[in-house]
Amino acid sequence: MRISELSRRSGVSIPTIKYYLRDGLLPPGRSTAANQAAYDEDHVRRLRLIRSLIGVRGLSVSATKDVLAAVDEQQGDVHLLLGLVLGALPVERSGRPPRRAGAAEPSAAGADPDPASGEAGDDVAALTAEMGWKTSPNPPAAQVVAETLETMRALGVDYDWRSLVPYAELADRQARLDLDQLRDAGDPLQQAERAVLLTVLLEPALLALRRLAQEHHSALRFGNG
């Protein structure tokens, strides 16, 4: 297809496509004549993923380029690919993909400590062990959980990992549902794009559904009819 058709199919403007081509985010098309090239379905899928990473996840062009470099090395590993595009796994500036879950991290003098260390970090480790979850070393989500528990304790709230188990069970069911919805997207880049959309775009709606459900159950328990 020509660049005009590529623009229509992907929803990305022609000037933006040319910018991505110049910056190396999008591979060049097959040259057909002077100043003309033909593009295929791989370009469409790649552009849609770029649009999701920049427009939905909010990554910069530079960060998107790093993610795509790592994605290119992981086309055959959907698990790592999803971790990269969703931000569950870090990407080095070189674009080198991260280690698999359970792989040992190299130690270095002056390196930052485990972000999920201390009592709250132990709680997160206990929770993931209780759930039987296998994750990468020190995922960002674990740091969020640890920091939340630390804040609650600082405010005098008696809350530990056992209190989170029912919520973790709900999250486990939700994660299964999320991944079930990727089955129709057979191509890894399509799966990556859909994962970004389902995760980032749905999160505000999921929080809003929780609020609606809380209002409903509050009315049932404490309302005046």
PDB file of all heavy atoms in Angstrom, residues 77-118:
ATOM      1  N   ASP A  77       8.567 -14.143  21.815  1.00  0.00           N
ATOM      2  CA  ASP A  77       8.276 -14.349  23.234  1.00  0.00           C
ATOM      3  C   ASP A  77       7.190 -13.377  23.667  1.00  0.00           C
ATOM      4  O   ASP A  77       7.471 -12.246  24.066  1.00  0.00           O
ATOM      5  CB  ASP A  77       9.551 -14.140  24.059  1.00  0.00           C
ATOM      6  CG  ASP A  77       9.406 -14.630  25.500  1.00  0.00           C
ATOM      7  OD1 ASP A  77       8.283 -14.557  26.035  1.00  0.00           O
ATOM      8  OD2 ASP A  77      10.420 -15.065  26.079  1.00  0.00           O
ATOM      9  N   VAL A  78       5.945 -13.798  23.569  1.00  0.00           N
ATOM     10  CA  VAL A  78       4.821 -12.912  23.862  1.00  0.00           C
ATOM     11  C   VAL A  78       4.840 -12.461  25.312  1.00  0.00           C
ATOM     12  O   VAL A  78       4.485 -11.317  25.631  1.00  0.00           O
ATOM     13  CB  VAL A  78       3.487 -13.609  23.531  1.00  0.00           C
ATOM     14  CG1 VAL A  78       2.304 -12.732  23.915  1.00  0.00           C
ATOM     15  CG2 VAL A  78       3.418 -13.927  22.035  1.00  0.00           C
ATOM     16  N   HIS A  79       5.265 -13.327  26.222  1.00  0.00           N
ATOM     17  CA  HIS A  79       5.299 -12.979  27.641  1.00  0.00           C
ATOM     18  C   HIS A  79       6.204 -11.768  27.890  1.00  0.00           C
ATOM     19  O   HIS A  79       5.799 -10.794  28.532  1.00  0.00           O
ATOM     20  CB  HIS A  79       5.795 -14.179  28.449  1.00  0.00           C
ATOM     21  CG  HIS A  79       5.994 -13.893  29.907  1.00  0.00           C
ATOM     22  ND1 HIS A  79       4.984 -13.428  30.722  1.00  0.00           N
ATOM     23  CD2 HIS A  79       7.101 -13.996  30.696  1.00  0.00           C
ATOM     24  CE1 HIS A  79       5.445 -13.259  31.948  1.00  0.00           C
ATOM     25  NE2 HIS A  79       6.727 -13.587  31.959  1.00  0.00           N
ATOM     26  N   LEU A  80       7.425 -11.814  27.371  1.00  0.00           N
ATOM     27  CA  LEU A  80       8.325 -10.685  27.542  1.00  0.00           C
ATOM     28  C   LEU A  80       7.842  -9.468  26.769  1.00  0.00           C
ATOM     29  O   LEU A  80       7.961  -8.328  27.237  1.00  0.00           O
ATOM     30  CB  LEU A  80       9.741 -11.057  27.083  1.00  0.00           C
ATOM     31  CG  LEU A  80      10.607 -11.838  28.067  1.00  0.00           C
ATOM     32  CD1 LEU A  80      11.994 -12.062  27.489  1.00  0.00           C
ATOM     33  CD2 LEU A  80      10.713 -11.115  29.395  1.00  0.00           C
ATOM     34  N   LEU A  81       7.288  -9.681  25.589  1.00  0.00           N
ATOM     35  CA  LEU A  81       6.795  -8.566  24.783  1.00  0.00           C
ATOM     36  C   LEU A  81       5.719  -7.788  25.535  1.00  0.00           C
ATOM     37  O   LEU A  81       5.743  -6.550  25.585  1.00  0.00           O
ATOM     38  CB  LEU A  81       6.258  -9.101  23.454  1.00  0.00           C
ATOM     39  CG  LEU A  81       5.871  -8.094  22.372  1.00  0.00           C
ATOM     40  CD1 LEU A  81       6.086  -8.698  20.994  1.00  0.00           C
ATOM     41  CD2 LEU A  81       4.413  -7.668  22.505  1.00  0.00           C
ATOM     42  N   LEU A  82       4.775  -8.499  26.159  1.00  0.00           N
ATOM     43  CA  LEU A  82       3.715  -7.823  26.910  1.00  0.00           C
ATOM     44  C   LEU A  82       4.290  -7.084  28.112  1.00  0.00           C
ATOM     45  O   LEU A  82       3.852  -5.975  28.442  1.00  0.00           O
ATOM     46  CB  LEU A  82       2.664  -8.841  27.363  1.00  0.00           C
ATOM     47  CG  LEU A  82       1.849  -9.512  26.250  1.00  0.00           C
ATOM     48  CD1 LEU A  82       0.864 -10.509  26.846  1.00  0.00           C
ATOM     49  CD2 LEU A  82       1.116  -8.484  25.411  1.00  0.00           C
ATOM     50  N   GLY A  83       5.268  -7.681  28.777  1.00  0.00           N
ATOM     51  CA  GLY A  83       5.891  -7.008  29.906  1.00  0.00           C
ATOM     52  C   GLY A  83       6.571  -5.716  29.505  1.00  0.00           C
ATOM     53  O   GLY A  83       6.543  -4.723  30.238  1.00  0.00           O
ATOM     54  N   LEU A  84       7.168  -5.708  28.322  1.00  0.00           N
ATOM     55  CA  LEU A  84       7.854  -4.516  27.835  1.00  0.00           C
ATOM     56  C   LEU A  84       6.875  -3.396  27.502  1.00  0.00           C
ATOM     57  O   LEU A  84       7.059  -2.250  27.912  1.00  0.00           O
ATOM     58  CB  LEU A  84       8.680  -4.867  26.593  1.00  0.00           C
ATOM     59  CG  LEU A  84       9.901  -5.762  26.818  1.00  0.00           C
ATOM     60  CD1 LEU A  84      10.421  -6.309  25.494  1.00  0.00           C
ATOM     61  CD2 LEU A  84      10.994  -4.999  27.542  1.00  0.00           C
ATOM     62  N   VAL A  85       5.828  -3.709  26.757  1.00  0.00           N
ATOM     63  CA  VAL A  85       4.918  -2.642  26.317  1.00  0.00           C
ATOM     64  C   VAL A  85       4.038  -2.129  27.448  1.00  0.00           C
ATOM     65  O   VAL A  85       3.579  -0.982  27.410  1.00  0.00           O
ATOM     66  CB  VAL A  85       4.042  -3.100  25.128  1.00  0.00           C
ATOM     67  CG1 VAL A  85       4.915  -3.486  23.937  1.00  0.00           C
ATOM     68  CG2 VAL A  85       3.117  -4.245  25.513  1.00  0.00           C
ATOM     69  N   LEU A  86       3.803  -2.957  28.475  1.00  0.00           N
ATOM     70  CA  LEU A  86       2.973  -2.526  29.594  1.00  0.00           C
ATOM     71  C   LEU A  86       3.788  -1.870  30.710  1.00  0.00           C
ATOM     72  O   LEU A  86       3.221  -1.365  31.673  1.00  0.00           O
ATOM     73  CB  LEU A  86       2.189  -3.713  30.159  1.00  0.00           C
ATOM     74  CG  LEU A  86       1.125  -4.295  29.230  1.00  0.00           C
ATOM     75  CD1 LEU A  86       0.473  -5.517  29.867  1.00  0.00           C
ATOM     76  CD2 LEU A  86       0.061  -3.252  28.896  1.00  0.00           C
ATOM     77  N   GLY A  87       5.109  -1.899  30.590  1.00  0.00           N
ATOM     78  CA  GLY A  87       5.937  -1.274  31.608  1.00  0.00           C
ATOM     79  C   GLY A  87       6.181  -2.142  32.821  1.00  0.00           C
ATOM     80  O   GLY A  87       6.701  -1.670  33.835  1.00  0.00           O
ATOM     81  N   ALA A  88       5.796  -3.422  32.757  1.00  0.00           N
ATOM     82  CA  ALA A  88       6.047  -4.321  33.886  1.00  0.00           C
ATOM     83  C   ALA A  88       7.517  -4.697  33.958  1.00  0.00           C
ATOM     84  O   ALA A  88       8.011  -5.092  35.014  1.00  0.00           O
ATOM     85  CB  ALA A  88       5.195  -5.584  33.752  1.00  0.00           C
ATOM     86  N   LEU A  89       8.226  -4.578  32.841  1.00  0.00           N
ATOM     87  CA  LEU A  89       9.648  -4.884  32.786  1.00  0.00           C
ATOM     88  C   LEU A  89      10.400  -3.651  32.309  1.00  0.00           C
ATOM     89  O   LEU A  89       9.930  -2.935  31.423  1.00  0.00           O
ATOM     90  CB  LEU A  89       9.917  -6.048  31.823  1.00  0.00           C
ATOM     91  CG  LEU A  89       9.258  -7.381  32.165  1.00  0.00           C
ATOM     92  CD1 LEU A  89       9.504  -8.388  31.055  1.00  0.00           C
ATOM     93  CD2 LEU A  89       9.800  -7.910  33.479  1.00  0.00           C
ATOM     94  N   PRO A  90      11.568  -3.383  32.882  1.00  0.00           N
ATOM     95  CA  PRO A  90      12.344  -2.213  32.458  1.00  0.00           C
ATOM     96  C   PRO A  90      13.022  -2.450  31.121  1.00  0.00           C
ATOM     97  O   PRO A  90      13.263  -3.581  30.718  1.00  0.00           O
ATOM     98  CB  PRO A  90      13.367  -2.055  33.582  1.00  0.00           C
ATOM     99  CG  PRO A  90      13.571  -3.452  34.076  1.00  0.00           C
ATOM    100  CD  PRO A  90      12.220  -4.130  33.968  1.00  0.00           C
ATOM    101  N   VAL A  91      13.323  -1.369  30.435  1.00  0.00           N
ATOM    102  CA  VAL A  91      14.049  -1.440  29.169  1.00  0.00           C
ATOM    103  C   VAL A  91      15.282  -0.567  29.290  1.00  0.00           C
ATOM    104  O   VAL A  91      15.187   0.607  29.648  1.00  0.00           O
ATOM    105  CB  VAL A  91      13.179  -0.935  27.997  1.00  0.00           C
ATOM    106  CG1 VAL A  91      13.972  -0.977  26.691  1.00  0.00           C
ATOM    107  CG2 VAL A  91      11.921  -1.781  27.863  1.00  0.00           C
ATOM    108  N   GLU A  92      16.435  -1.139  29.016  1.00  0.00           N
ATOM    109  CA  GLU A  92      17.654  -0.356  29.072  1.00  0.00           C
ATOM    110  C   GLU A  92      17.760   0.527  27.844  1.00  0.00           C
ATOM    111  O   GLU A  92      17.143   0.268  26.813  1.00  0.00           O
ATOM    112  CB  GLU A  92      18.873  -1.292  29.164  1.00  0.00           C
ATOM    113  CG  GLU A  92      18.894  -2.123  30.448  1.00  0.00           C
ATOM    114  CD  GLU A  92      20.140  -2.953  30.562  1.00  0.00           C
ATOM    115  OE1 GLU A  92      21.005  -2.832  29.671  1.00  0.00           O
ATOM    116  OE2 GLU A  92      20.256  -3.712  31.531  1.00  0.00           O
ATOM    117  N   ARG A  93      18.558   1.571  27.939  1.00  0.00           N
ATOM    118  CA  ARG A  93      18.698   2.508  26.831  1.00  0.00           C
ATOM    119  C   ARG A  93      19.206   1.818  25.581  1.00  0.00           C
ATOM    120  O   ARG A  93      18.932   2.254  24.467  1.00  0.00           O
ATOM    121  CB  ARG A  93      19.664   3.629  27.218  1.00  0.00           C
ATOM    122  CG  ARG A  93      19.152   4.563  28.270  1.00  0.00           C
ATOM    123  CD  ARG A  93      17.944   5.340  27.808  1.00  0.00           C
ATOM    124  NE  ARG A  93      18.236   6.122  26.613  1.00  0.00           N
ATOM    125  CZ  ARG A  93      17.331   6.846  25.961  1.00  0.00           C
ATOM    126  NH1 ARG A  93      16.082   6.851  26.367  1.00  0.00           N
ATOM    127  NH2 ARG A  93      17.655   7.537  24.897  1.00  0.00           N
ATOM    128  N   SER A  94      19.929   0.733  25.725  1.00  0.00           N
ATOM    129  CA  SER A  94      20.426   0.007  24.568  1.00  0.00           C
ATOM    130  C   SER A  94      19.333  -0.761  23.865  1.00  0.00           C
ATOM    131  O   SER A  94      19.526  -1.263  22.764  1.00  0.00           O
ATOM    132  CB  SER A  94      21.515  -0.980  25.016  1.00  0.00           C
ATOM    133  OG  SER A  94      20.962  -1.958  25.873  1.00  0.00           O
ATOM    134  N   GLY A  95      18.158  -0.863  24.517  1.00  0.00           N
ATOM    135  CA  GLY A  95      17.095  -1.659  23.939  1.00  0.00           C
ATOM    136  C   GLY A  95      17.201  -3.122  24.294  1.00  0.00           C
ATOM    137  O   GLY A  95      16.412  -3.935  23.836  1.00  0.00           O
ATOM    138  N   ARG A  96      18.223  -3.464  25.134  1.00  0.00           N
ATOM    139  CA  ARG A  96      18.398  -4.874  25.499  1.00  0.00           C
ATOM    140  C   ARG A  96      17.233  -5.319  26.358  1.00  0.00           C
ATOM    141  O   ARG A  96      16.837  -4.640  27.291  1.00  0.00           O
ATOM    142  CB  ARG A  96      19.712  -5.058  26.277  1.00  0.00           C
ATOM    143  CG  ARG A  96      20.004  -6.513  26.628  1.00  0.00           C
ATOM    144  CD  ARG A  96      21.388  -6.633  27.239  1.00  0.00           C
ATOM    145  NE  ARG A  96      21.493  -5.893  28.488  1.00  0.00           N
ATOM    146  CZ  ARG A  96      21.103  -6.375  29.671  1.00  0.00           C
ATOM    147  NH1 ARG A  96      20.525  -7.570  29.745  1.00  0.00           N
ATOM    148  NH2 ARG A  96      21.249  -5.670  30.769  1.00  0.00           N
ATOM    149  N   PRO A  97      16.636  -6.484  26.036  1.00  0.00           N
ATOM    150  CA  PRO A  97      15.504  -6.955  26.822  1.00  0.00           C
ATOM    151  C   PRO A  97      15.927  -7.350  28.218  1.00  0.00           C
ATOM    152  O   PRO A  97      17.097  -7.662  28.466  1.00  0.00           O
ATOM    153  CB  PRO A  97      15.012  -8.179  26.035  1.00  0.00           C
ATOM    154  CG  PRO A  97      16.218  -8.653  25.294  1.00  0.00           C
ATOM    155  CD  PRO A  97      17.006  -7.405  24.953  1.00  0.00           C
ATOM    156  N   PRO A  98      14.997  -7.329  29.171  1.00  0.00           N
ATOM    157  CA  PRO A  98      15.314  -7.687  30.556  1.00  0.00           C
ATOM    158  C   PRO A  98      15.444  -9.181  30.739  1.00  0.00           C
ATOM    159  O   PRO A  98      15.143  -9.962  29.839  1.00  0.00           O
ATOM    160  CB  PRO A  98      14.091  -7.161  31.314  1.00  0.00           C
ATOM    161  CG  PRO A  98      12.979  -7.297  30.324  1.00  0.00           C
ATOM    162  CD  PRO A  98      13.595  -6.996  28.980  1.00  0.00           C
ATOM    163  N   ARG A  99      15.885  -9.564  31.928  1.00  0.00           N
ATOM    164  CA  ARG A  99      15.973 -10.988  32.253  1.00  0.00           C
ATOM    165  C   ARG A  99      14.599 -11.553  32.542  1.00  0.00           C
ATOM    166  O   ARG A  99      13.697 -10.841  32.941  1.00  0.00           O
ATOM    167  CB  ARG A  99      16.878 -11.180  33.477  1.00  0.00           C
ATOM    168  CG  ARG A  99      18.313 -10.828  33.187  1.00  0.00           C
ATOM    169  CD  ARG A  99      19.136 -10.804  34.467  1.00  0.00           C
ATOM    170  NE  ARG A  99      20.509 -10.482  34.164  1.00  0.00           N
ATOM    171  CZ  ARG A  99      20.959  -9.256  33.908  1.00  0.00           C
ATOM    172  NH1 ARG A  99      20.116  -8.238  33.922  1.00  0.00           N
ATOM    173  NH2 ARG A  99      22.217  -9.044  33.636  1.00  0.00           N
ATOM    174  N   ARG A 100      14.506 -12.851  32.350  1.00  0.00           N
ATOM    175  CA  ARG A 100      13.250 -13.516  32.661  1.00  0.00           C
ATOM    176  C   ARG A 100      13.030 -13.563  34.164  1.00  0.00           C
ATOM    177  O   ARG A 100      13.955 -13.395  34.951  1.00  0.00           O
ATOM    178  CB  ARG A 100      13.269 -14.953  32.119  1.00  0.00           C
ATOM    179  CG  ARG A 100      12.823 -15.042  30.670  1.00  0.00           C
ATOM    180  CD  ARG A 100      12.596 -16.503  30.319  1.00  0.00           C
ATOM    181  NE  ARG A 100      11.905 -16.613  29.052  1.00  0.00           N
ATOM    182  CZ  ARG A 100      10.599 -16.536  28.935  1.00  0.00           C
ATOM    183  NH1 ARG A 100       9.840 -16.302  29.990  1.00  0.00           N
ATOM    184  NH2 ARG A 100      10.021 -16.675  27.766  1.00  0.00           N
ATOM    185  N   ALA A 101      11.785 -13.819  34.548  1.00  0.00           N
ATOM    186  CA  ALA A 101      11.454 -13.938  35.969  1.00  0.00           C
ATOM    187  C   ALA A 101      12.326 -14.996  36.608  1.00  0.00           C
ATOM    188  O   ALA A 101      12.496 -16.093  36.069  1.00  0.00           O
ATOM    189  CB  ALA A 101       9.983 -14.302  36.131  1.00  0.00           C
ATOM    190  N   GLY A 102      12.889 -14.633  37.761  1.00  0.00           N
ATOM    191  CA  GLY A 102      13.710 -15.582  38.497  1.00  0.00           C
ATOM    192  C   GLY A 102      15.178 -15.529  38.155  1.00  0.00           C
ATOM    193  O   GLY A 102      15.992 -16.140  38.835  1.00  0.00           O
ATOM    194  N   ALA A 103      15.552 -14.770  37.094  1.00  0.00           N
ATOM    195  CA  ALA A 103      16.957 -14.680  36.731  1.00  0.00           C
ATOM    196  C   ALA A 103      17.686 -13.774  37.710  1.00  0.00           C
ATOM    197  O   ALA A 103      17.138 -12.792  38.190  1.00  0.00           O
ATOM    198  CB  ALA A 103      17.112 -14.147  35.311  1.00  0.00           C
ATOM    199  N   ALA A 104      18.930 -14.085  37.978  1.00  0.00           N
ATOM    200  CA  ALA A 104      19.692 -13.303  38.947  1.00  0.00           C
ATOM    201  C   ALA A 104      20.098 -11.968  38.350  1.00  0.00           C
ATOM    202  O   ALA A 104      20.479 -11.882  37.188  1.00  0.00           O
ATOM    203  CB  ALA A 104      20.939 -14.087  39.374  1.00  0.00           C
ATOM    204  N   GLU A 105      20.026 -10.926  39.149  1.00  0.00           N
ATOM    205  CA  GLU A 105      20.445  -9.600  38.717  1.00  0.00           C
ATOM    206  C   GLU A 105      21.907  -9.396  39.098  1.00  0.00           C
ATOM    207  O   GLU A 105      22.339  -9.792  40.183  1.00  0.00           O
ATOM    208  CB  GLU A 105      19.591  -8.529  39.402  1.00  0.00           C
ATOM    209  CG  GLU A 105      18.158  -8.501  38.926  1.00  0.00           C
ATOM    210  CD  GLU A 105      18.045  -7.970  37.513  1.00  0.00           C
ATOM    211  OE1 GLU A 105      18.859  -7.111  37.133  1.00  0.00           O
ATOM    212  OE2 GLU A 105      17.155  -8.427  36.792  1.00  0.00           O
ATOM    213  N   PRO A 106      22.708  -8.767  38.224  1.00  0.00           N
ATOM    214  CA  PRO A 106      24.090  -8.494  38.589  1.00  0.00           C
ATOM    215  C   PRO A 106      24.166  -7.453  39.687  1.00  0.00           C
ATOM    216  O   PRO A 106      23.370  -6.519  39.719  1.00  0.00           O
ATOM    217  CB  PRO A 106      24.696  -7.967  37.286  1.00  0.00           C
ATOM    218  CG  PRO A 106      23.542  -7.376  36.556  1.00  0.00           C
ATOM    219  CD  PRO A 106      22.369  -8.249  36.911  1.00  0.00           C
ATOM    220  N   SER A 107      25.111  -7.614  40.606  1.00  0.00           N
ATOM    221  CA  SER A 107      25.283  -6.627  41.668  1.00  0.00           C
ATOM    222  C   SER A 107      26.305  -5.598  41.223  1.00  0.00           C
ATOM    223  O   SER A 107      27.210  -5.881  40.447  1.00  0.00           O
ATOM    224  CB  SER A 107      25.755  -7.310  42.949  1.00  0.00           C
ATOM    225  OG  SER A 107      26.975  -7.982  42.712  1.00  0.00           O
ATOM    226  N   ALA A 108      26.150  -4.369  41.738  1.00  0.00           N
ATOM    227  CA  ALA A 108      27.085  -3.305  41.385  1.00  0.00           C
ATOM    228  C   ALA A 108      27.205  -2.373  42.569  1.00  0.00           C
ATOM    229  O   ALA A 108      26.240  -2.110  43.269  1.00  0.00           O
ATOM    230  CB  ALA A 108      26.601  -2.548  40.157  1.00  0.00           C
ATOM    231  N   ALA A 109      28.418  -1.853  42.776  1.00  0.00           N
ATOM    232  CA  ALA A 109      28.639  -0.924  43.881  1.00  0.00           C
ATOM    233  C   ALA A 109      27.820   0.328  43.657  1.00  0.00           C
ATOM    234  O   ALA A 109      27.797   0.878  42.560  1.00  0.00           O
ATOM    235  CB  ALA A 109      30.121  -0.581  43.968  1.00  0.00           C
ATOM    236  N   GLY A 110      27.140   0.771  44.700  1.00  0.00           N
ATOM    237  CA  GLY A 110      26.352   1.984  44.588  1.00  0.00           C
ATOM    238  C   GLY A 110      25.012   1.787  43.929  1.00  0.00           C
ATOM    239  O   GLY A 110      24.308   2.753  43.657  1.00  0.00           O
ATOM    240  N   ALA A 111      24.639   0.553  43.618  1.00  0.00           N
ATOM    241  CA  ALA A 111      23.355   0.323  42.966  1.00  0.00           C
ATOM    242  C   ALA A 111      22.222   0.632  43.925  1.00  0.00           C
ATOM    243  O   ALA A 111      22.359   0.523  45.139  1.00  0.00           O
ATOM    244  CB  ALA A 111      23.267  -1.139  42.509  1.00  0.00           C
ATOM    245  N   ASP A 112      21.078   1.009  43.369  1.00  0.00           N
ATOM    246  CA  ASP A 112      19.924   1.312  44.195  1.00  0.00           C
ATOM    247  C   ASP A 112      19.451   0.063  44.919  1.00  0.00           C
ATOM    248  O   ASP A 112      19.488  -1.039  44.364  1.00  0.00           O
ATOM    249  CB  ASP A 112      18.782   1.856  43.331  1.00  0.00           C
ATOM    250  CG  ASP A 112      19.105   3.230  42.777  1.00  0.00           C
ATOM    251  OD1 ASP A 112      19.934   3.925  43.398  1.00  0.00           O
ATOM    252  OD2 ASP A 112      18.539   3.584  41.725  1.00  0.00           O
ATOM    253  N   PRO A 113      18.982   0.189  46.139  1.00  0.00           N
ATOM    254  CA  PRO A 113      18.482  -0.988  46.863  1.00  0.00           C
ATOM    255  C   PRO A 113      17.176  -1.459  46.269  1.00  0.00           C
ATOM    256  O   PRO A 113      16.544  -0.762  45.482  1.00  0.00           O
ATOM    257  CB  PRO A 113      18.283  -0.444  48.285  1.00  0.00           C
ATOM    258  CG  PRO A 113      18.058   1.028  48.095  1.00  0.00           C
ATOM    259  CD  PRO A 113      18.909   1.419  46.929  1.00  0.00           C
ATOM    260  N   ASP A 114      16.811  -2.650  46.651  1.00  0.00           N
ATOM    261  CA  ASP A 114      15.533  -3.204  46.231  1.00  0.00           C
ATOM    262  C   ASP A 114      14.426  -2.224  46.622  1.00  0.00           C
ATOM    263  O   ASP A 114      14.273  -1.896  47.794  1.00  0.00           O
ATOM    264  CB  ASP A 114      15.337  -4.552  46.941  1.00  0.00           C
ATOM    265  CG  ASP A 114      14.038  -5.237  46.548  1.00  0.00           C
ATOM    266  OD1 ASP A 114      13.179  -4.582  45.931  1.00  0.00           O
ATOM    267  OD2 ASP A 114      13.895  -6.424  46.868  1.00  0.00           O
ATOM    268  N   PRO A 115      13.625  -1.731  45.623  1.00  0.00           N
ATOM    269  CA  PRO A 115      12.598  -0.749  45.966  1.00  0.00           C
ATOM    270  C   PRO A 115      11.516  -1.310  46.862  1.00  0.00           C
ATOM    271  O   PRO A 115      10.801  -0.562  47.514  1.00  0.00           O
ATOM    272  CB  PRO A 115      12.033  -0.363  44.596  1.00  0.00           C
ATOM    273  CG  PRO A 115      12.354  -1.514  43.704  1.00  0.00           C
ATOM    274  CD  PRO A 115      13.650  -2.058  44.214  1.00  0.00           C
ATOM    275  N   ALA A 116      11.357  -2.628  46.884  1.00  0.00           N
ATOM    276  CA  ALA A 116      10.332  -3.238  47.732  1.00  0.00           C
ATOM    277  C   ALA A 116      11.004  -3.993  48.876  1.00  0.00           C
ATOM    278  O   ALA A 116      10.788  -5.176  49.088  1.00  0.00           O
ATOM    279  CB  ALA A 116       9.459  -4.177  46.913  1.00  0.00           C
ATOM    280  N   SER A 117      11.906  -3.293  49.591  1.00  0.00           N
ATOM    281  CA  SER A 117      12.623  -3.935  50.688  1.00  0.00           C
ATOM    282  C   SER A 117      11.970  -3.570  52.009  1.00  0.00           C
ATOM    283  O   SER A 117      11.028  -2.796  52.071  1.00  0.00           O
ATOM    284  CB  SER A 117      14.095  -3.486  50.670  1.00  0.00           C
ATOM    285  OG  SER A 117      14.172  -2.082  50.808  1.00  0.00           O
ATOM    286  N   GLY A 118      12.493  -4.121  53.114  1.00  0.00           N
ATOM    287  CA  GLY A 118      11.939  -3.825  54.424  1.00  0.00           C
ATOM    288  C   GLY A 118      10.705  -4.657  54.709  1.00  0.00           C
ATOM    289  O   GLY A 118      10.391  -5.636  54.025  1.00  0.00           O
TER     290      GLY A 118
END
